[in-house]
Amino acid sequence: MAYEWKNNLACKATYAILEDPLDQIDTIQVPQEKAGDYKIAYLSNYPDDASSKIREKWARKISAKFVQYVLKFYDVRKEKPTDTISKWHNDTWPVFKDGDKTLTDLAAVLDKHCKFSDE
Amino acid sequence: MNKTIILGSLILFPLLTFANDSQPDSDDEDYALRPVLLDSSDNNTAVLGLRYRAEKKWTFLENEQKPGPDATADRFGSSTAIEQMTDKHGFAELKLEGLWTNDMELNPESFSKLNLDIGYEISIPDDIEKEGSQEKDFDFGLQFALEGDQNYDNTQTVSALQAGAMFGDSTDWYIATVLAYGEVDASKDDARMALTNVDTFDRVAAEVHLQYQLKFREGRKYSPKSIAFNYRYYGEVDPPDAIKQADLDIFQRGVVRLKFEKGLYVAVSEGKLPFDLQSESVLEVGLSQNLF
């Protein structure tokens, strides 16, 4: 079943980190409850006109920051013992590369790899 | 069949076989089909076009990053997060891209491309805990391409060495570039062959992308979020006089895009790409919305 944008910590963390510190969403224009359909291409620094090669470079970089900020600001545990930061990052950057993916897709990857301690 | 396509296939087949047999590797695919409205300075009518892109990437020679000493069955352990997200891998990437309009004569960007890149990439993320830490990304390799006009009526093949890099901050400002140098076989480009019998030549190609986040009037509905500049250059090395006089030796195009909230944008482009016969200014207003 497709992942749904809801009021859980994976969705809240996705939204909160993209808003601040990554500064890619305007919270006044895009409230959290309506952000599930928000496309990656709408993020401030998504390189729309660039070639695939450059979009991938950008995606790897912002994905690494996203993962680091989740680890810094949230108390997360592995969803599975075999999970690693590397696997989580390698599932996250392709979402950032594809402008048609949404914040729901990003939250789904986060939820697939992480359990939040107060959930 | 053209020698570039044969050479590309010969290199790609063993690489893909290796990618399928070795672990850990990954496949990545992506496609897009978007409507765009183009207002060219050379035509008094706006043209509705479809911008398309399809790509698939295979990676190989990837080392699985080991978790840090603080990792447990339950915890990730962040002491080696940067090492774990540092990517070093070989890749093969197949891409198809272009802009299609109902009437090719009205297409201000009649440049389509089927591309195979094979190379090696090193990607080192920025450490958010270290002041002055920099994101770095480099790649180098070979490119084999079939380039043509909108309908591939006129084509040329390209075999080139290429390298790419990115510097800056992915969430503030950054600059990325791709450079290529190689041989072009333009024997199936009628416009060129009508002017000269020199059907192969060396070419320098470059792409530079600069993006800067705008932080004024935040919260306003129509405030721009970022400004981006994308520049592409294709220059023939030592062109024949007939090609120079026909202005077919250098193709270059710049795009400036102002991005607003929720996918709205205004993009202005100036110049021409290979197979465009005249330089044009194009205003593109659109919505970043895929059709499928």
Side-chain angles (χ1 to χ4, degrees):
Chain A
M1 203 171 98
Y3 193 81
E4 287 181 11
W5 187 255
K6 48 198 169 190
N7 196 30
N8 65 2
L9 275 169
C11 295
K12 283 181 184 173
T14 298
Y15 179 84
I17 289 169
L18 285 172
E19 191 267 323
D20 182 28
L22 297 185
D23 203 10
Q24 298 295 302
I25 301 178
D26 184 337
T27 49
I28 297 169
Q29 294 297 317
V30 188
Q32 186 188 316
E33 60 274 17
K34 294 180 180 175
D37 295 331
Y38 194 85
K39 288 178 182 288
I40 294 297
Y42 301 171
L43 298 177
S44 298
N45 286 42
Y46 184 80
D48 305 78
D49 297 301
S51 60
S52 163
K53 195 177 281 289
I54 289 176
R55 282 186 290 113
E56 181 173 327
K57 289 180 190 303
W58 177 80
R60 286 181 185 274
K61 297 291 161 276
I62 196 166
S63 164
K65 281 193 168 182
F66 180 83
V67 169
Q68 287 181 77
Y69 279 119
V70 172
L71 291 167
K72 181 177 180 177
F73 293 138
Y74 296 88
D75 186 15
V76 292
R77 286 171 289 139
K78 293 178 180 179
E79 193 64 52
K80 290 184 296 218
T82 53
D83 271 328
T84 64
I85 291 173
S86 177
K87 286 178 182 171
W88 174 15
H89 171 57
N90 282 332
D91 278 351
T92 304
W93 73 255
V95 178
F96 276 112
K97 184 186 174 190
D98 184 348
D100 290 308
K101 297 286 188 198
T102 63
L103 297 204
T104 303
D105 297 312
L106 204 51
V109 173
L110 182 54
D111 217 2
K112 177 184 160 192
H113 290 277
C114 300
K115 275 191 287 197
F116 288 82
S117 56
D118 49 351
E119 280 191 322
Chain B
M1 192 186 285
N2 188 286
K3 67 178 181 183
T4 301
I5 305 295
I6 294 171
L7 184 58
S9 305
L10 286 174
I11 293 174
L12 181 63
F13 181 74
L15 281 175
L16 297 188
T17 306
F18 179 74
N20 284 333
D21 291 346
S22 59
Q23 293 294 327
D25 300 309
S26 59
D27 292 354
D28 168 37
E29 55 188 40
D30 185 17
Y31 65 91
L33 185 60
R34 292 197 180 89
V36 290
L37 186 65
L38 304 142
D39 185 9
S40 166
S41 62
D42 291 353
N43 302 309
N44 290 325
T45 55
V47 183
L48 187 63
L50 279 177
R51 198 177 285 283
Y52 63 88
R53 186 188 75 241
E55 56 199 49
K56 183 160 179 71
K57 183 173 184 176
W58 298 267
T59 57
F60 46 88
L61 297 175
E62 227 172 344
N63 294 321
E64 185 162 22
Q65 304 293 337
K66 299 266 187 306
D70 52 342
T72 65
D74 193 40
R75 296 283 177 176
F76 286 101
S78 56
S79 67
T80 60
I82 297 301
E83 287 84 346
Q84 289 189 64
M85 290 188 287
T86 296
D87 270 314
K88 294 177 183 176
H89 61 265
F91 65 85
E93 185 170 27
L94 196 57
K95 285 179 287 189
L96 175 70
E97 59 188 339
L99 172 66
W100 185 87
T101 56
N102 188 38
D103 184 347
M104 192 167 81
E105 297 299 316
L106 297 177
N107 188 342
E109 193 185 307
S110 185
F111 179 49
S112 309
K113 200 170 177 182
L114 175 64
N115 203 72
L116 169 65
D117 290 343
I118 298 166
Y120 194 78
E121 182 165 24
I122 300 168
S123 175
I124 304 167
D126 150 34
D127 185 342
I128 60 167
E129 300 294 349
K130 281 189 184 164
E131 190 72 28
S133 175
Q134 284 277 322
E135 299 172 338
K136 299 176 198 75
D137 197 305
F138 309 96
D139 72 88
F140 53 91
L142 300 169
Q143 178 195 59
F144 305 97
L146 174 67
E147 298 174 348
D149 55 24
Q150 171 182 302
N151 299 333
Y152 288 97
D153 294 333
N154 291 292
T155 60
Q156 62 188 20
T157 55
V158 184
S159 323
L161 292 169
Q162 67 173 2
M166 175 178 161
F167 303 97
D169 181 343
S170 54
T171 57
D172 185 10
W173 72 271
Y174 59 91
I175 185 165
T177 185
V178 181
L179 302 170
Y181 183 89
E183 187 183 81
V184 178
D185 178 347
S187 55
K188 292 183 179 166
D189 178 0
D190 293 343
R192 179 186 175 89
M193 297 316 293
L195 297 170
T196 178
N197 56 5
V198 179
D199 59 359
T200 60
F201 57 91
D202 289 343
R203 186 178 78 175
V204 176
E207 176 186 4
V208 177
H209 185 87
L210 176 65
Q211 189 125 0
Y212 187 80
Q213 191 177 56
L214 300 171
K215 293 180 179 173
F216 59 91
R217 293 166 59 86
E218 287 181 283
R220 299 289 187 89
K221 197 169 183 179
Y222 299 109
S223 297
K225 287 162 63 97
S226 69
I227 186 164
F229 173 63
N230 186 273
Y231 172 73
R232 299 191 193 205
Y233 172 90
Y234 302 83
E236 181 171 343
V237 177
D238 197 16
D241 289 342
I243 295 299
K244 265 194 213 172
Q245 283 160 13
D247 200 19
L248 294 176
D249 55 331
I250 292 175
F251 297 88
Q252 53 188 334
R253 189 149 201 250
V255 182
V256 176
R257 176 183 292 248
L258 207 51
K259 191 175 201 172
F260 298 85
E261 194 49 271
K262 297 177 183 171
L264 284 171
Y265 66 86
V266 176
V268 180
S269 63
E270 174 74 40
K272 61 180 181 177
L273 293 172
F275 299 100
D276 285 341
L277 296 181
Q278 51 194 349
S279 182
E280 292 174 273
S281 300
V282 179
L283 174 67
E284 178 179 328
V285 180
L287 187 65
S288 303
Q289 177 68 49
N290 213 352
L291 286 182
F292 302 107

